Each structure stands twice: as C-alpha cells, then as structure tokens.
Amino acid sequence: MQVITTISEMQQWSQQQRRMGKTIGVVPTMGYLHDGHCSLIERAAAECDAVVTTIFVNPLQFGQGEDFERYPRDMERDTTIARAAGSSVVFAPTTAEMYPSGFATTIDVGPIAERFEGAFRPGHFRGVATVVAKLFNLTQPHVAYFGQKDYQQCLVISQMVRDLNMDITLRILPTVREQDGLAMSSRNVYLSAEQRRTASLLYRALQAGIDAIARGERRRQHINKRMQEILDQIPDARIDYAAAATAERLEEPDEFPPGASVVLLLAVRIGSTRLIDNMLTTVPYD
C-alpha cells in the first residue's frame, strides 16, 4: 500500500489506474479510523480494482470554537488499519497542499445544507462539499463510499454530484454500531466512562421514534417528543435537535402520510462531545 501526500502524485496515480482500465473506489475520511470506516474500505475493495482511503482533517468544515485542533489524529495507526482493510493507497495531504495561499473557491449546495447540521454549524456543509469535490478531482474515482451515520452529509454530496454532473456512483452503507447501539465515531474517544455509558440512550431514543411510527404515530411533534423524553435521561446532555423529517429533502411536515420515507435525526452534546446519529423508516399504511 502506498501513502501519497501530494496532489500531483495522487493525480498521476489515478490517471495511471484509469489508463490500465482499473475501477477506482474512494473512501473519504478524516482519519482515526474505526470499524465503520473499515466496512467502507472493505466494500470498496470487494467492488473495485483499487481503493483510495483519504485521510484529511478538513479545516473548512470546522467552525470557530469547534474541535479542529483536538480532533484525534494517528497516521501510523490509520495506515495500518487502512492497509488491513484493503486500501491500495492512503492519500494524506497537508492543509497547505489542499488549500494553498490564495485559495478562495467554495461550493454551496443550497437549502439541503441549511437545515439541522447546517443551522447549528453555519458553513459546515460548504466546507464538506468543497473538500469532497477536491478529493473527487484528485482521486478520480468511479465509486465513492460514505456511511449513513452522516446522513445529511450524504444528501449534500448527492446533491453536489447530481448538480455538477459528476460521473461518480455513490454508495451509502449502513451505520456500524457498538454492541449497545452507539454509532461508531472518531469522537467517541472524547467520552468519559460514564458519558460513554449514557451515550447509548441516543440509540434508544431513535428506536423509540421508530417504534412510535410503527404503532401508527404520524404527528411529527409527537415523534420528536418521544425521542426527546429518552434523551432527557442523559444527565449532562444538551440536545441540538431530535427531529423527524422527510428522508429525501429533510422537510418537516406536521404529519407524515402513509408510505412516506422518514429519517430520524439526532445531534446531542454530552459534556463537550457532540454526537450525531439517525435512523430511516417508512410510515406504515393503515
């Protein structure tokens, strides 16, 4: 497995793979890899001839006062994990390589990026879309792999790929969870032992929302309330949102009609650690 750190070398490698007729899969990450990332790399390795895992903590998607500086980093660990999972290349550019002096262009995908995460983290998805577009240009993949845990991010990237006519297939794979249901995340390492124990209530809250819909609840506010009641059991939690929305556009109708695809979205701060999660379901017919 190669480790590439420069844009020119990354582009040369990708162009060579394409000339040889090889299919390239890319797994964009910010590093500190876990089993969720590994599931993406393994799927890419199963479906593509060559796999690029990108490792880049993107400053454009962090707001003032967020955890850019303390975001966990361990390149030696990450390259070992990526190799074992099936990566052909790890692309790990520096910030200066990705955003040289004078860099000014960003990508705004519109209303889908303004709700939920976009409302609580202004500019976040502009940073996400910009870095992913750059990574796509540099790695030149046929297929890109993302996890459902970052559900709104997946919608944002899908919008960008569609609007800009990018010739890339997106694969969105299920969230990988710990035994108690907590979604795997690089930020889980921030949690104390007690916070880690109570963090499993995020999964229980989502299940409560899913159960309410399965029993016939269609009123959005009632579904939200059921999730919030579970989250209120976390002693030091602050809920940014616990919300049901349409799965395709993240709209919030008063009631969901039978057959509607619904996503339940959570963003909760436990102490200083902010965790997100989601689940998808379909409103049953009477």
Side-chain angles (χ1 to χ4, degrees):
M1 186 190 76
Q2 292 178 254
V3 177
I4 295 176
T5 59
T6 68
I7 285 172
S8 60
E9 186 179 356
M10 185 70 256
Q11 288 176 319
Q12 289 169 9
W13 182 91
S14 297
Q15 289 164 3
Q16 183 181 32
Q17 301 303 307
R18 280 182 167 263
R19 282 196 298 269
M20 292 189 295
K22 293 188 176 181
T23 302
I24 301 172
V26 67
V27 181
T29 83
M30 291 204 300
Y32 214 74
L33 304 181
H34 51 67
D35 285 350
H37 297 117
C38 288
S39 72
L40 301 178
I41 298 169
E42 289 165 358
R43 175 68 70 86
E47 296 180 349
C48 302
D49 299 315
V51 179
V52 181
T53 299
T54 72
I55 297 176
F56 180 63
V57 184
N58 175 34
L60 288 193
Q61 67 191 72
F62 288 79
Q64 186 174 3
E66 293 188 344
D67 60 343
F68 174 72
E69 294 297 335
R70 73 181 185 115
Y71 193 87
R73 296 165 170 88
D74 190 333
M75 186 58 65
E76 183 176 352
R77 170 186 176 277
D78 285 346
T79 53
T80 299
I81 292 172
R83 180 185 296 110
S87 289
S88 312
V89 164
V90 163
F91 178 47
T94 64
T95 299
E97 185 77 3
M98 288 292 282
Y99 303 123
S101 177
F103 180 89
T105 301
T106 58
I107 295 176
D108 187 336
V109 302
I112 198 71
E114 297 169 0
R115 304 179 175 104
F116 299 111
E117 286 297 281
F120 281 90
R121 303 179 68 188
H124 169 69
F125 285 124
R126 187 180 306 116
V128 169
T130 301
V131 76
V132 171
K134 284 178 69 72
L135 291 171
F136 284 172
N137 281 334
L138 300 179
T139 61
Q140 300 175 39
H142 298 84
V143 190
Y145 297 80
F146 295 90
Q148 185 188 308
K149 184 184 79 69
D150 297 296
Y151 185 82
Q152 189 174 4
Q153 173 179 281
C154 293
L155 292 183
V156 165
I157 294 168
S158 297
Q159 180 87 41
M160 178 185 73
V161 167
R162 183 168 57 250
D163 289 351
L164 299 184
N165 305 111
M166 294 179 173
D167 188 17
I168 298 169
T169 299
L170 298 183
R171 294 268 196 273
I172 311 303
L173 301 188
T175 302
V176 177
R177 300 182 178 278
E178 304 285 359
Q179 287 190 347
D180 62 359
L182 180 66
M184 289 190 176
S185 168
S186 300
R187 288 186 169 94
N188 290 351
V189 298
Y190 298 157
L191 299 169
S192 69
E194 177 59 20
Q195 289 172 337
R196 172 62 189 82
R197 185 185 67 78
T198 60
S200 63
L201 289 169
L202 271 70
Y203 180 64
R204 286 178 53 191
L206 289 170
Q207 286 186 312
I210 294 289
D211 290 344
I213 293 171
R215 292 194 304 269
E217 183 59 75
R218 299 181 188 173
R219 296 167 294 179
R220 178 177 55 84
Q221 292 287 11
H222 286 251
I223 298 166
N224 294 355
K225 182 179 179 182
R226 187 69 192 99
M227 293 190 289
Q228 290 165 357
E229 289 171 348
I230 303 295
L231 296 173
D232 285 341
Q233 298 174 32
I234 304 175
D236 55 349
R238 186 165 86 250
I239 304 170
D240 282 354
Y241 55 82
T246 60
E248 295 169 351
R249 300 301 305 168
L250 302 186
E251 295 166 341
E252 298 179 274
D254 290 338
E255 292 191 10
F256 297 101
S261 295
V262 176
V263 62
L264 306 181
L265 299 162
L266 300 181
V268 180
R269 299 176 189 269
I270 302 179
S272 62
T273 304
R274 188 174 186 275
L275 302 177
I276 62 172
D277 203 350
N278 67 83
M279 281 188 184
L280 288 165
T281 191
T282 301
V283 178
Y285 288 92
D286 294 335

